[in-house]
């Protein structure tokens, strides 16, 4: 039985409160389908039953919220941001960090790991001396516990490695594991995965030199986008670099960043001292 409109509204309000993900009315069929699947995993009859039980149980509310995330991703997604990262951003960051020889990259909303492992492969392929001689930290975060478990395991099905991963890199960085492919330990240990909900205060962290936060702001309303961009502005290195998804921009959302075009894509940099003025401007 499809969810009643009252149940759908309850789920929509709970999910936006817990994650900021906006579920449009047009997504009601998707909500139904995902909740039916989740209900079966939980040994319940259908979406209506799991929604009723979740009203008094925060564990189920977390599971429902996780089930509403869209985890679509691929290796070297959109390719050009990785070209800009390799050819424009990294050479600059290497100059900026030559004294400390420390590099900290934050990959937020990292889904099942293809994005942070693509970053790690780019570093290994093009900057081996940085990998070997610098302190390199790639922190990958996501809201969803189950998706982080998949990312940590680093095991991918054939159809997944078929999406954007160049064949030579498959040979160099993966081991065959039955029908699947497992990330080699050298690459796996370059990435640490942590649970982090972008709408909550960020935990203490060093200032990231580079932030990838791609294809997640699209799910949020303008105020939430602005708030997240504002807190990233505060935490990131003043000389840092920000990568957003192809359909995302800081323009018209947060005035504290300058936009730079390069390698067929755009990236952003914080404008010194602009964060609060930028917030006030919108
Ligand atoms: C479409 S995927 C993007 C993955 C990757 N960044 C890419 O571009 O391929 C969106 C990810 O955002 C995560 N997400 C959604 N809401 C979030 C929130 N409030 N905090 C942290 N992560 C969130 C989802 O769990 C999902 O894995």
């Amino acid at each position: 039985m499809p969810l009643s409109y009252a149940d759908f509204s309850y789920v929509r309000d709970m999910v936006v409160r817990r994650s900021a993900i906006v579920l449009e009315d047009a997504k009601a069929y998707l909500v139904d389908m995902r909740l039916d699947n989740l209900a079966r995993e939980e040994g319940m009859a259908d979406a209506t039953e799991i929604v009723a039980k979740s009203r008094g149980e925060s564990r189920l509310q977390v599971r429902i919220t996780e089930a509403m995330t869209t985890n679509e991703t691929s290796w070297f997604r959109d390719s050009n941001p990785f070209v800009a990262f390799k050819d424009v951003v990294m050479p600059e960051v290497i100059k900026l960090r030559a004294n400390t020889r420390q590099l900290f990259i934050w990959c937020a909303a990292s889904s099942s790991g293809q994005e942070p492992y693509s970053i790690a492969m780019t570093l290994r392929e093009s900057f081996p001396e940085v990998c070997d001689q610098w302190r390199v930290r790639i922190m990958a975060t996501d809201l969803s516990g189950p998706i982080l478990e998949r990312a940590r395991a680093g095991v991918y099905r054939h159809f997944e490695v078929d999406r954007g991963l160049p064949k030579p890199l498959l040979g160099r960085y993966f081991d065959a594991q039955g029908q699947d492919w497992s990330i080699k330990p050298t690459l796996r240990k370059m990435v640490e995965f942590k649970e982090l909900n972008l709408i909550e205060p960020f935990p203490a962290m060093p200032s990231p030199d580079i932030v990838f936060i791609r294809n997640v702001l699209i799910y949020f309303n303008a105020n939430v986008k602005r708030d997240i961009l504002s807190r990233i502005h505060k935490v990131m290195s003043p000389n840092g670099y920000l990568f957003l998804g192809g359909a995302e921009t800081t323009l018209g959302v947060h005035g504290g960043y300058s936009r730079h075009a390069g390698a067929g894509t755009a990236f952003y940099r914080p404008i010194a001292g602009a964060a609060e003025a930028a917030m006030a401007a919108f």
Side-chain angles (χ1 to χ4, degrees), residues 18-21 69-74 77 107-112 115 141-144 147 196-199 213-216 219-220:
R18 285 182 168 268
S19 69
I21 295 171
T69 60
T70 299
N71 305 121
E72 165 69 16
T73 188
S74 55
R77 184 172 186 177
C107 179
S110 55
S111 189
S112 38
E115 187 175 33
T141 63
D142 202 279
L143 163 87
S144 162
I147 207 73
L196 186 153
N197 186 342
L198 288 163
I199 64 168
I213 173 167
R214 302 196 309 144
N215 303 301
V216 65
Y219 298 107
F220 305 148

Side-chain angles (χ1 to χ4, degrees), residues 42-54:
E42 288 282 335
M44 296 178 207
D46 58 11
T48 303
E49 184 178 350
I50 197 165
V51 170
K53 295 229 164 90
S54 77

